[in-house]
């Protein structure tokens, strides 16, 4: 099931779109099936689960931290994480820089933008992100490579489309100036809209691994 699912899914994607297989709550066996089908990018939203999986699964997996990240937990993933999607404050950015320095590496991150109408979702506002990009960024061990966002949880596709297209326009506005090349938007229920609006990275879980409890 998973192998067939991920192969057909990945084959349909446009070349410029990277698929992050969101494996949160799923057992290692499920990830291995996807891995053997050729999948290398996996996304988790909890630090402890990410670390446990990284320890026991193949070394060439690229681990994406897609959930809300607390500053005091950056140190656990700093040595190996491939991309941190949910950077939602300058304090977190500074902590990632500090842990990057300790590990002698430059950690790639995405700035999370709050585009949804729900108050509970994390992220910078467009104004805050613009201020961050205007500032002179002298952090040596963190590299902002793009943006990430989650649309409002709704059946109203026109609203989702509007939110993604606004984000996409903001991305275009900054991509040259700040060398951004990753626009992480789109999940199981809205990845089609996201790709049509310019996504370069989708984070898909339930469509590949089945629904979570
Ligand atoms: C769980 C999760 C996803 C994947 O959700 P699905 O609906 O299962 O595709 C994507 N992004 C984030 C940030 C998530 O937490």
């Amino acid at each position: 099931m998973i192998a067939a699912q991920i192969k057909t899914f990945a084959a349909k994607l446009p070349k410029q779109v990277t698929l992050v297989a969101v494996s949160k709550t799923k057992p290692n066996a499920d990830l291995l099936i996807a891995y053997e089908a050729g999948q290398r990018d996996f996304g988790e939203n909890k630090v402890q689960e990410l670390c446990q999986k990284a320890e026991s699964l193949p070394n060439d997996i690229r681990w994406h931290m897609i959930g809300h990240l607390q500053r005091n937990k950056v140190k656990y993933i700093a040595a190996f994480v491939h991309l941190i999607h949910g950077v939602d404050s300058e304090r977190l950015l500074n902590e990632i820089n500090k842990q990057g320095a300790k590990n002698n590496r430059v950690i790639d991150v995405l700035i999370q933008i709050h585009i949804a109408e729900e108050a509970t979702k994390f992220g910078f506002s467009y104004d805050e992100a613009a201020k961050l990009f205007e500032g002179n960024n002298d952090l040596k061990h963190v590299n902002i490579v793009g943006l990430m966002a989650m649309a409002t949880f709704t059946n109203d596709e026109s609203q989702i489309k509007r939110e993604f297209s606004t984000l996409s326009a903001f991305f275009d506005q900054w991509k040259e100036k700040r060398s951004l090349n990753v626009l992480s938007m789109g999940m199981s229920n809205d990845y089609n809209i996201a790709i049509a609006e310019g996504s370069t990275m989708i984070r898909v879980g339930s469509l590949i691994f089945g629904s979570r409890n």
Side-chain angles (χ1 to χ4, degrees), residues 6-103:
I6 201 154
K7 276 186 188 154
T8 13
F9 193 83
K12 279 189 305 199
L13 292 179
K15 289 273 172 301
Q16 75 278 9
V17 178
T18 301
L19 169 63
V20 177
V22 175
S23 46
K24 61 192 186 196
T25 77
K26 298 295 176 182
N28 287 352
D30 286 6
L31 281 77
L32 265 181
I33 295 171
Y35 177 87
E36 272 148 25
Q39 182 64 24
R40 289 297 178 272
D41 293 274
F42 289 85
E44 291 286 335
N45 70 339
K46 296 219 163 69
V47 166
Q48 194 181 5
E49 189 175 348
L50 174 58
C51 291
Q52 282 168 353
K53 284 174 173 168
E55 235 169 66
S56 40
L57 288 163
N59 274 326
D60 60 341
I61 287 179
R62 295 182 287 268
W63 293 103
H64 296 247
M65 176 62 199
I66 62 168
H68 178 63
L69 178 58
Q70 288 171 296
R71 274 178 296 135
N72 62 358
K73 294 195 174 161
V74 176
K75 57 179 176 283
Y76 301 118
I77 59 171
F80 68 91
V81 70
H82 176 69
L83 181 61
I84 297 176
H85 289 232
V87 175
D88 59 1
S89 73
E90 290 203 49
R91 292 172 80 200
L92 177 58
L93 196 61
N94 288 332
E95 176 63 18
I96 296 169
N97 184 57
K98 185 173 138 194
Q99 296 300 330
K102 275 193 187 162
N103 287 277

Side-chain angles (χ1 to χ4, degrees), residues 168-207:
S168 196
F170 183 81
F171 178 76
D172 286 344
Q173 193 187 323
W174 286 101
K175 74 177 172 196
E176 245 104 86
K177 280 181 231 163
R178 299 301 311 229
S179 306
L180 309 180
N181 55 42
V182 179
L183 181 54
S184 169
M185 60 181 196
M187 325 200 324
S188 290
N189 61 335
D190 58 17
Y191 73 91
N192 272 321
I193 307 173
I195 291 172
E197 295 303 325
S199 172
T200 71
M201 187 173 274
I202 57 175
R203 310 175 308 270
V204 176
S206 39
L207 219 53

Side-chain angles (χ1 to χ4, degrees), residues 119-138:
T120 52
K121 284 185 181 152
F122 297 100
F124 284 80
S125 67
Y126 285 117
D127 281 352
E128 291 165 343
K131 276 206 188 83
L132 177 73
F133 289 148
E134 278 157 9
N136 65 317
N137 189 323
D138 53 2

Side-chain angles (χ1 to χ4, degrees), residues 115-117 126 151-152 154 156-170 185 193-194 197:
I115 63 170
E117 115 195 321
Y126 285 117
T152 301
T154 174
D156 181 355
E157 295 201 351
S158 67
Q159 179 174 357
I160 297 172
K161 184 172 149 64
R162 203 161 54 237
E163 290 173 356
F164 283 158
S165 85
T166 306
L167 178 68
S168 196
F170 183 81
M185 60 181 196
I193 307 173
E197 295 303 325

